[in-house]
Amino acid sequence: MENPSEGRRLSKTVCILCRQRKIRCNRKLPKCESCFRAGVDCEYIVVKNKPGLRAGYVSELEERLAKLEREVQQLKDHGTGAHPTLVDINSVATSSSSGHSLPDAPASIAHMSPRSARCSPSDFDPLTPNILDELCMAWFEKYHAWFPILHQLSLLEVLQTSPVLANTVHHIVFKAIASVTIPHSYHSDSLTSDQRRTLPEDLRSQVVIEAISQLSLQSLQAVLILTIRDYGCGRLSEFWNLIALAKRMGTQLGLRDLVANHCDNFNQVSTIPPRMLPLPVSLINREEKIRAYWMTEVLDGSSTIGAAWNLNISKPEATGLLPCSDTVWSFPEAIISAWSFGDCEMSSAYSLYVMLVTNELFHVHRFLQQSFDTQSATERARRQSECRSVDEALIAWRARFATTQVRINSENGGAFDPNVVLTHCALDLATISLYQRLAIPPAGLEEAQGPWYHAIQRCLDACDSITTVLRALLDTHLENISPLIISCIFVAARFFLVHAKLLNVEIPRNLDLLVYSLKTCGLRWSYALRLEKVIRTATADHKMPTTMSSLPVQFYDLQYSYLDIDEALRVWAEGLEPWMHLAGLEHPALDANAILMPNVNLTGMTAADDRANFMPVAGQLDTAQLA
């Protein structure tokens, strides 16, 4: 007769919905807590547990592996030339004199090499504490510097002290971190390529569903973290959908009320309408809310620089609470609590980046969204005057930033700060976006209007400024920096190429550095690899007429921003032969139609190869030099 206790050990009753969502189920009848909140029927099934390893098995396996490693080392010492990772463990075990066998060993363990013995693909669970600990360390080492929305010490304390992570409010944050870091974590070498692709996507889906169903600061933080992966993969539509979700969640949580009104309308009578919102429970909670608000605004504003669409960019908050200094943010909560609220508002490189994107670049967005008649000389002159006015404000801000940067570098001992790099590149991207539509007239108006040399020179100066910043970076810095820098590099490279092609001048040598930078960013972000293909192909097609290039013709039309042509370039890149972007910097003497995919131009626009040869004059307006 079957032992009842044994039956209970080998099987359990679980809720189908909780099992599918991989969340803890309280198994309450007739409905568990999760199904009750979701308003769905609760169905239970009996699941048999897999029997565990027999007692003493792990110790025996460790001794066995140690013995096998010694035997492999002896083979190497005797000059057999065998490499440890190429030796079949089963064959060595058969020839061993010990005579012990491991009949109960699963196949996935029996065939493991010593390197992968730590975690096999079938056993990999990214949400176990030991793996999460390593993934969180990777997050704070490679992402936190330019995405500082989490308090490191508090989150790690939750990870180390919580007996059941699934019961904590931070569990959704851990899922988001795992989704972003798994593809490049230490454990990724023990995963198959399919697992490296599917695991992060599964976690992403879980986070989005949970965030929509349960509003909290942690849900918002998790959604913001996911945006990194979407942008880095070049999925801009999905990225902006998450930003829209984050903005609505922030509104419901009252984050703008906290930042703009300093909690003055939280549950109290004030000159502005009050809101039924809880006060921050601690300085850490308050600061994380402030940083979640600003990160949402920064991602929205910086990812749409150059777009002439009707964007809903928030108006500047001149007196809003800014993130505290990076030094203060690295302290434990007990030390931070020693400061008053006002003492934490010390400027940092991240705060300066926030101020640039949310305040100064707001005027760039507003200018680009204004329409004007390109065929009217009066309208063109008015547009040029307004463009200069916005640019002068950026130049003045850059000068103030250069002064502040000297102080920041002194305080940091000259250490690399990714937010300084992002600030410089965002400034240059804004400059190119301001002027590029006005630099060279659209097709059909070349002879009547001619180029605006001031705009051309300002764009070239901005492109050179970006290359100057990139030249000072190490490859490891460029690989681990925010994917938002990819658009800055691409816009500079595109302007170099289009300017050289339309004005019949040589391609600047700085383009080589931009291509190399895209390739380095591509070690982590696939979006950079896609755009690298575009730039390499455009370089190879430099001497060809525009209509003969495989690229969409809109690539060569500066009336379109990089965001306008992004989807067309994605379709083009997915249909490109995978080896063609390595063709080099000279166009191969081959028929383009025989090598590349058929032309995917969106419209039959007029060719630009017959334009008059315009030579830009020397620099008419110097940009502020980088400190």
Side-chain angles (χ1 to χ4, degrees), residues 290-302:
I290 293 173
R291 288 172 178 257
Y293 170 79
W294 285 120
M295 183 56 73
T296 305
E297 298 300 321
V298 165
L299 292 174
D300 191 24
S302 59

Side-chain angles (χ1 to χ4, degrees), residues 31 58 67 69 178 181 212 249 343 359 436 455 542 625:
K31 283 188 179 182
V58 175
K67 181 177 179 63
E69 289 177 351
T181 57
I212 292 175
M249 293 174 68
D343 293 336
N359 287 1
Q436 76 170 33
H542 176 58
Q625 298 298 317

Side-chain angles (χ1 to χ4, degrees), residues 158-323:
V158 171
L159 179 61
Q160 296 165 2
T161 60
S162 300
V164 183
L165 289 176
N167 293 338
T168 66
V169 294
H170 294 86
H171 192 242
I172 189 172
V173 176
F174 291 129
K175 283 186 178 181
I177 291 177
S179 176
V180 173
T181 57
I182 280 176
H184 306 283
S185 68
Y186 169 84
H187 287 283
S188 62
D189 61 356
S190 65
L191 300 176
T192 65
S193 58
D194 183 63
Q195 286 176 309
R196 284 196 298 270
R197 182 180 67 259
T198 58
L199 271 176
E201 290 301 320
D202 290 344
L203 289 170
R204 180 191 183 279
S205 299
Q206 294 178 33
V207 169
V208 172
I209 293 175
E210 292 180 27
I212 292 175
S213 61
Q214 185 172 0
L215 177 66
S216 67
L217 171 62
Q218 289 73 29
S219 296
L220 173 57
Q221 291 172 329
V223 170
L224 291 174
I225 291 172
L226 290 183
T227 62
I228 299 174
R229 177 172 171 80
D230 281 358
Y231 194 94
C233 293
R235 303 187 305 209
L236 300 192
S237 295
E238 290 88 339
F239 169 84
W240 285 316
N241 287 340
L242 290 182
I243 293 299
L245 173 62
K247 295 192 77 167
R248 180 59 66 188
M249 293 174 68
T251 300
Q252 291 179 265
L253 290 170
L255 301 191
R256 188 177 179 88
D257 296 83
L258 167 62
V259 169
N261 304 315
H262 300 228
C263 300
D264 287 343
N265 63 329
F266 279 33
N267 300 328
Q268 56 186 333
V269 178
S270 63
T271 58
I272 54 179
R275 290 197 62 184
M276 294 292 292
L277 295 170
L279 285 168
V281 296
S282 66
L283 276 178
I284 296 297
N285 178 259
R286 169 184 180 270
E287 182 65 20
E288 284 192 331
K289 289 183 175 181
I290 293 173
R291 288 172 178 257
Y293 170 79
W294 285 120
M295 183 56 73
T296 305
E297 298 300 321
V298 165
L299 292 174
D300 191 24
S302 59
S303 65
T304 53
I305 299 175
W309 316 329
N310 185 20
L311 300 170
N312 187 25
I313 300 296
S314 302
K315 293 183 179 180
E317 286 290 350
T319 60
L321 293 173
L322 288 172

Side-chain angles (χ1 to χ4, degrees), residues 2 148 177 193 260 323 329 338 345 356 373 557 560 603 626:
E2 182 181 8
I177 291 177
S193 58
W329 193 228
E345 299 168 18
L356 169 68
D373 186 358
D557 189 344
Y560 293 94
T603 59
L626 296 175

